[in-house]
Amino acid sequence: MTTIEGNLQGVNERIHQACAHAGRAATQVSLLAVSKTFGPEAVAQAVAAGQRAFGENYIQEGVEKILALRASHPDAALQWHCIGPVQSNKTRLVAAHFDWVQSVDRLKIAQRLSEQRPLDLPPLQVCLQVNVDGGPTKSGVTPAELPALAEAVAQLPHLKLRGLMCIPDPVEGFEAQRAVFVQAKGLLDRLNAQGLALDTLSMGMSDDLDAAIAAGSTLVRVGRAIFGSRSARA
Ligand SMILES: *Cc1c(COP(=O)(O)O)cnc(C)c1O
């Protein structure tokens, strides 16, 4: 067994246990393997171990990996999520190559992604990144501005709004972590009560995925616990 295969088994086991503790079915939570800074060989090892969904932060690096894996594994049906900041000058690359974008926090970026989504591809699946714990310098739409942004993004023809993503600042302890994630779940529930049909709540990373699952996460994003530690850049 490769290290990556063993790590994936361990992370999937943690997800199962967190679901069991939360009284949720394990099928309600999926794993996004965050492969940023790791090469195509590492992704290929994860694919061999059964993983299909991968997250990338850096657009150019992500696109190179997407193309490499499409060439080496043409039948693998991989799913690629952009989880890093998207500047205007990168929307065309994202729209052309990724399946999901989880980091949309401005209407202008969403409009460009919709306009630039190639017509032979399915709609780009989108989560809005929400700044749930309110750090003033952080990316993400504020909870107050979220409903209007969600309504507007839901109208765009070549996007499919799926839900919310959040990256709270690290806090110590299960209950403190869970309290922040519960706020994100509340925001999702409110949007659905307003008539949107959102099914995705992307939250939880290596250190807080148990609390995120307890609060209703449907997608946890894990990098180092699968691929190992990264160099200083990330
Ligand atoms: C890097 C990253 C992750 C994964 O973090 P790890 O600490 O490697 O598990 C998850 N989400 C986002 C948005 C990231 O940038």
Side-chain angles (χ1 to χ4, degrees), residues 32-36 38 55-58 82-85 102-103 129 165-167 202 204-207 220-230 234:
L32 185 70
V34 178
S35 43
K36 65 182 177 208
F38 296 94
E56 290 287 336
N57 281 58
Y58 311 105
C82 174
I83 59 174
Q102 298 194 10
S103 41
Q129 183 175 347
M165 184 270 266
C166 66
I167 317 174
S202 170
M205 303 173 33
S206 300
D207 296 329
V220 294
R221 309 179 306 266
V222 178
R224 287 167 301 155
I226 297 169
F227 294 106
S229 58
R230 287 183 294 270

Short mmCIF file of all heavy atoms in Angstrom, two decimals, residues 32-36 38 55-58 82-85 102-103 129 165-167 202 204-207 220-230 234, ligand 1:
data_model
loop_
_atom_site.label_atom_id
_atom_site.label_comp_id
_atom_site.label_asym_id
_atom_site.label_seq_id
_atom_site.Cartn_x
_atom_site.Cartn_y
_atom_site.Cartn_z
N LEU A 32 -12.97 15.95 -0.48
CA LEU A 32 -12.21 16.63 -1.52
C LEU A 32 -10.73 16.55 -1.14
O LEU A 32 -10.33 17.05 -0.08
CB LEU A 32 -12.65 18.10 -1.62
CG LEU A 32 -12.01 18.88 -2.76
CD1 LEU A 32 -12.53 18.40 -4.11
CD2 LEU A 32 -12.26 20.37 -2.60
N ALA A 33 -9.94 15.91 -1.98
CA ALA A 33 -8.50 15.79 -1.72
C ALA A 33 -7.81 17.03 -2.26
O ALA A 33 -7.83 17.28 -3.47
CB ALA A 33 -7.96 14.52 -2.39
N VAL A 34 -7.22 17.82 -1.37
CA VAL A 34 -6.61 19.09 -1.78
C VAL A 34 -5.17 18.82 -2.20
O VAL A 34 -4.30 18.58 -1.36
CB VAL A 34 -6.69 20.13 -0.66
CG1 VAL A 34 -6.00 21.42 -1.08
CG2 VAL A 34 -8.16 20.40 -0.30
N SER A 35 -4.93 18.87 -3.50
CA SER A 35 -3.64 18.44 -4.06
C SER A 35 -2.71 19.60 -4.38
O SER A 35 -1.67 19.40 -5.01
CB SER A 35 -3.90 17.57 -5.30
OG SER A 35 -4.91 18.12 -6.12
N LYS A 36 -3.05 20.81 -3.94
CA LYS A 36 -2.19 21.96 -4.24
C LYS A 36 -0.76 21.70 -3.81
O LYS A 36 -0.54 21.12 -2.74
CB LYS A 36 -2.73 23.21 -3.53
CG LYS A 36 -2.66 23.14 -2.02
CD LYS A 36 -3.24 24.38 -1.37
CE LYS A 36 -3.23 24.24 0.13
NZ LYS A 36 -4.29 25.01 0.79
N PHE A 38 1.27 19.57 -4.80
CA PHE A 38 1.73 18.21 -5.09
C PHE A 38 1.59 17.93 -6.58
O PHE A 38 0.70 18.46 -7.24
CB PHE A 38 0.95 17.19 -4.27
CG PHE A 38 1.20 17.35 -2.80
CD1 PHE A 38 0.34 18.11 -2.02
CD2 PHE A 38 2.32 16.80 -2.21
CE1 PHE A 38 0.59 18.30 -0.67
CE2 PHE A 38 2.58 16.99 -0.86
CZ PHE A 38 1.72 17.74 -0.09
N GLY A 55 -9.03 19.22 -5.15
CA GLY A 55 -9.12 20.67 -4.99
C GLY A 55 -7.78 21.33 -5.24
O GLY A 55 -6.75 20.85 -4.79
N GLU A 56 -7.81 22.45 -5.97
CA GLU A 56 -6.60 23.21 -6.29
C GLU A 56 -6.81 24.67 -5.93
O GLU A 56 -7.88 25.24 -6.19
CB GLU A 56 -6.29 23.08 -7.79
CG GLU A 56 -5.82 21.69 -8.19
CD GLU A 56 -4.40 21.38 -7.73
OE1 GLU A 56 -3.62 22.33 -7.52
OE2 GLU A 56 -4.08 20.18 -7.59
N ASN A 57 -5.77 25.31 -5.38
CA ASN A 57 -5.84 26.73 -5.02
C ASN A 57 -5.30 27.66 -6.10
O ASN A 57 -5.74 28.78 -6.22
CB ASN A 57 -4.99 27.01 -3.78
CG ASN A 57 -5.67 26.60 -2.52
OD1 ASN A 57 -6.02 25.43 -2.40
ND2 ASN A 57 -5.90 27.53 -1.64
N TYR A 58 -4.25 27.18 -6.78
CA TYR A 58 -3.55 28.06 -7.73
C TYR A 58 -3.97 27.66 -9.13
O TYR A 58 -3.79 26.51 -9.53
CB TYR A 58 -2.04 27.93 -7.52
CG TYR A 58 -1.67 28.07 -6.05
CD1 TYR A 58 -1.31 26.95 -5.31
CD2 TYR A 58 -1.75 29.30 -5.41
CE1 TYR A 58 -1.00 27.07 -3.95
CE2 TYR A 58 -1.45 29.43 -4.06
CZ TYR A 58 -1.08 28.31 -3.33
OH TYR A 58 -0.79 28.41 -2.00
N CYS A 82 -11.90 24.34 -7.94
CA CYS A 82 -11.06 25.49 -7.65
C CYS A 82 -11.47 26.02 -6.27
O CYS A 82 -12.63 26.38 -6.07
CB CYS A 82 -11.24 26.56 -8.72
SG CYS A 82 -10.37 28.08 -8.34
N ILE A 83 -10.51 26.05 -5.32
CA ILE A 83 -10.84 26.49 -3.96
C ILE A 83 -10.04 27.71 -3.54
O ILE A 83 -10.10 28.12 -2.39
CB ILE A 83 -10.64 25.34 -2.94
CG1 ILE A 83 -9.20 24.84 -2.95
CG2 ILE A 83 -11.61 24.19 -3.22
CD1 ILE A 83 -8.91 23.81 -1.85
N GLY A 84 -9.27 28.28 -4.48
CA GLY A 84 -8.46 29.45 -4.15
C GLY A 84 -9.05 30.71 -4.75
O GLY A 84 -10.00 30.66 -5.54
N PRO A 85 -8.49 31.87 -4.39
CA PRO A 85 -9.00 33.15 -4.89
C PRO A 85 -8.96 33.19 -6.42
O PRO A 85 -8.01 32.72 -7.03
CB PRO A 85 -8.02 34.18 -4.32
CG PRO A 85 -7.25 33.47 -3.26
CD PRO A 85 -7.32 32.01 -3.51
N GLN A 102 -15.38 26.89 -5.72
CA GLN A 102 -15.97 27.06 -4.38
C GLN A 102 -15.70 28.43 -3.79
O GLN A 102 -16.18 28.74 -2.71
CB GLN A 102 -15.38 26.02 -3.42
CG GLN A 102 -15.66 24.59 -3.83
CD GLN A 102 -15.36 23.63 -2.70
OE1 GLN A 102 -15.11 24.03 -1.57
NE2 GLN A 102 -15.38 22.35 -3.01
N SER A 103 -14.94 29.26 -4.48
CA SER A 103 -14.41 30.48 -3.88
C SER A 103 -14.98 31.74 -4.52
O SER A 103 -14.32 32.77 -4.54
CB SER A 103 -12.89 30.45 -4.00
OG SER A 103 -12.50 29.94 -5.28
N GLN A 129 -18.17 31.59 -1.31
CA GLN A 129 -17.34 31.59 -0.10
C GLN A 129 -17.86 32.66 0.83
O GLN A 129 -17.97 33.83 0.47
CB GLN A 129 -15.88 31.85 -0.46
CG GLN A 129 -14.98 31.79 0.77
CD GLN A 129 -13.50 31.91 0.42
OE1 GLN A 129 -13.11 31.80 -0.75
NE2 GLN A 129 -12.68 32.13 1.44
N MET A 165 -19.18 27.72 0.91
CA MET A 165 -17.89 27.23 1.39
C MET A 165 -17.40 28.22 2.44
O MET A 165 -17.61 29.43 2.29
CB MET A 165 -16.90 27.15 0.23
CG MET A 165 -15.55 26.56 0.59
SD MET A 165 -14.33 27.76 1.14
CE MET A 165 -13.49 28.08 -0.41
N CYS A 166 -16.78 27.73 3.50
CA CYS A 166 -16.16 28.65 4.46
C CYS A 166 -14.85 28.09 4.98
O CYS A 166 -14.62 26.89 5.00
CB CYS A 166 -17.11 29.00 5.60
SG CYS A 166 -17.53 27.62 6.67
N ILE A 167 -13.98 29.02 5.35
CA ILE A 167 -12.66 28.71 5.93
C ILE A 167 -12.50 29.52 7.21
O ILE A 167 -11.85 30.56 7.22
CB ILE A 167 -11.50 29.09 4.97
CG1 ILE A 167 -11.80 28.69 3.52
CG2 ILE A 167 -10.19 28.47 5.45
CD1 ILE A 167 -10.76 29.17 2.52
N SER A 202 -19.47 23.18 2.04
CA SER A 202 -18.06 22.79 2.01
C SER A 202 -17.34 23.40 3.20
O SER A 202 -17.04 24.59 3.21
CB SER A 202 -17.43 23.26 0.69
OG SER A 202 -16.03 23.08 0.72
N GLY A 204 -14.68 22.25 6.82
CA GLY A 204 -13.94 21.23 7.53
C GLY A 204 -12.66 20.89 6.80
O GLY A 204 -12.68 20.65 5.59
N MET A 205 -11.54 20.95 7.54
CA MET A 205 -10.24 20.61 6.99
C MET A 205 -9.59 19.61 7.94
O MET A 205 -10.26 19.06 8.82
CB MET A 205 -9.39 21.89 6.81
CG MET A 205 -10.12 22.88 5.93
SD MET A 205 -9.45 24.56 5.71
CE MET A 205 -7.71 24.39 5.79
N SER A 206 -8.30 19.37 7.78
CA SER A 206 -7.66 18.30 8.57
C SER A 206 -7.94 18.44 10.08
O SER A 206 -8.20 17.46 10.76
CB SER A 206 -6.14 18.32 8.34
OG SER A 206 -5.86 18.11 6.99
N ASP A 207 -7.87 19.68 10.59
CA ASP A 207 -7.92 19.85 12.04
C ASP A 207 -9.32 20.04 12.61
O ASP A 207 -9.48 20.07 13.83
CB ASP A 207 -7.05 21.05 12.46
CG ASP A 207 -5.59 20.80 12.13
OD1 ASP A 207 -5.17 19.62 12.17
OD2 ASP A 207 -4.89 21.77 11.81
N VAL A 220 -15.75 17.80 2.96
CA VAL A 220 -14.58 18.24 3.72
C VAL A 220 -13.38 18.29 2.79
O VAL A 220 -13.25 17.48 1.87
CB VAL A 220 -14.32 17.33 4.95
CG1 VAL A 220 -15.46 17.45 5.96
CG2 VAL A 220 -14.12 15.88 4.54
N ARG A 221 -12.52 19.27 3.03
CA ARG A 221 -11.39 19.52 2.14
C ARG A 221 -10.10 19.21 2.90
O ARG A 221 -9.75 19.89 3.86
CB ARG A 221 -11.37 21.00 1.71
CG ARG A 221 -12.70 21.50 1.15
CD ARG A 221 -12.58 22.97 0.77
NE ARG A 221 -12.09 23.77 1.87
CZ ARG A 221 -12.86 24.43 2.75
NH1 ARG A 221 -14.17 24.40 2.64
NH2 ARG A 221 -12.31 25.12 3.72
N VAL A 222 -9.40 18.17 2.48
CA VAL A 222 -8.24 17.70 3.23
C VAL A 222 -7.03 17.59 2.32
O VAL A 222 -7.10 16.94 1.26
CB VAL A 222 -8.55 16.33 3.88
CG1 VAL A 222 -7.32 15.82 4.62
CG2 VAL A 222 -9.75 16.43 4.82
N GLY A 223 -5.94 18.23 2.73
CA GLY A 223 -4.70 18.18 1.96
C GLY A 223 -3.62 17.38 2.64
O GLY A 223 -3.34 16.23 2.30
N ARG A 224 -3.03 18.00 3.68
CA ARG A 224 -1.83 17.41 4.28
C ARG A 224 -2.06 16.02 4.86
O ARG A 224 -1.15 15.18 4.81
CB ARG A 224 -1.31 18.34 5.38
CG ARG A 224 -0.64 19.59 4.81
CD ARG A 224 -0.44 20.60 5.90
NE ARG A 224 -1.71 20.97 6.50
CZ ARG A 224 -1.86 21.43 7.73
NH1 ARG A 224 -0.82 21.57 8.50
NH2 ARG A 224 -3.05 21.74 8.18
N ALA A 225 -3.23 15.76 5.40
CA ALA A 225 -3.48 14.45 5.99
C ALA A 225 -3.51 13.35 4.93
O ALA A 225 -3.43 12.17 5.25
CB ALA A 225 -4.79 14.45 6.79
N ILE A 226 -3.62 13.75 3.66
CA ILE A 226 -3.57 12.77 2.57
C ILE A 226 -2.19 12.75 1.91
O ILE A 226 -1.59 11.70 1.71
CB ILE A 226 -4.64 13.08 1.50
CG1 ILE A 226 -6.04 12.98 2.11
CG2 ILE A 226 -4.49 12.14 0.30
CD1 ILE A 226 -7.14 13.51 1.21
N PHE A 227 -1.71 13.96 1.55
CA PHE A 227 -0.51 14.02 0.70
C PHE A 227 0.77 14.27 1.48
O PHE A 227 1.86 14.20 0.93
CB PHE A 227 -0.69 15.12 -0.36
CG PHE A 227 -1.79 14.82 -1.34
CD1 PHE A 227 -3.00 15.50 -1.29
CD2 PHE A 227 -1.62 13.84 -2.32
CE1 PHE A 227 -4.02 15.22 -2.19
CE2 PHE A 227 -2.63 13.56 -3.23
CZ PHE A 227 -3.84 14.25 -3.16
N GLY A 228 0.66 14.64 2.76
CA GLY A 228 1.84 14.98 3.54
C GLY A 228 1.99 16.48 3.66
O GLY A 228 1.17 17.23 3.15
N SER A 229 3.06 16.92 4.32
CA SER A 229 3.20 18.36 4.56
C SER A 229 3.69 19.07 3.31
O SER A 229 4.32 18.48 2.44
CB SER A 229 4.14 18.62 5.73
OG SER A 229 5.38 18.04 5.44
N ARG A 230 3.33 20.34 3.22
CA ARG A 230 3.68 21.14 2.04
C ARG A 230 4.86 22.04 2.34
O ARG A 230 5.15 22.34 3.48
CB ARG A 230 2.49 22.04 1.64
CG ARG A 230 1.34 21.32 1.01
CD ARG A 230 0.28 22.31 0.60
NE ARG A 230 -0.34 22.98 1.72
CZ ARG A 230 -1.42 22.55 2.36
NH1 ARG A 230 -2.02 21.45 1.97
NH2 ARG A 230 -1.91 23.23 3.36
N ALA A 234 2.41 27.25 0.66
CA ALA A 234 0.99 27.13 0.99
C ALA A 234 0.79 27.20 2.49
O ALA A 234 -0.28 27.05 2.98
CB ALA A 234 0.44 25.82 0.44
C1 LIG B 1 -5.07 24.09 1.57
C2 LIG B 1 -6.54 24.13 1.75
C3 LIG B 1 -7.23 23.06 2.34
C4 LIG B 1 -6.54 21.84 2.89
O1 LIG B 1 -5.76 22.17 3.98
P1 LIG B 1 -4.86 21.07 4.72
O2 LIG B 1 -4.39 21.80 5.90
O3 LIG B 1 -3.79 20.71 3.77
O4 LIG B 1 -5.72 19.91 5.03
C5 LIG B 1 -8.61 23.15 2.42
N1 LIG B 1 -9.29 24.22 1.96
C6 LIG B 1 -8.66 25.27 1.39
C7 LIG B 1 -9.46 26.41 0.89
C8 LIG B 1 -7.28 25.25 1.27
O5 LIG B 1 -6.67 26.30 0.71
#
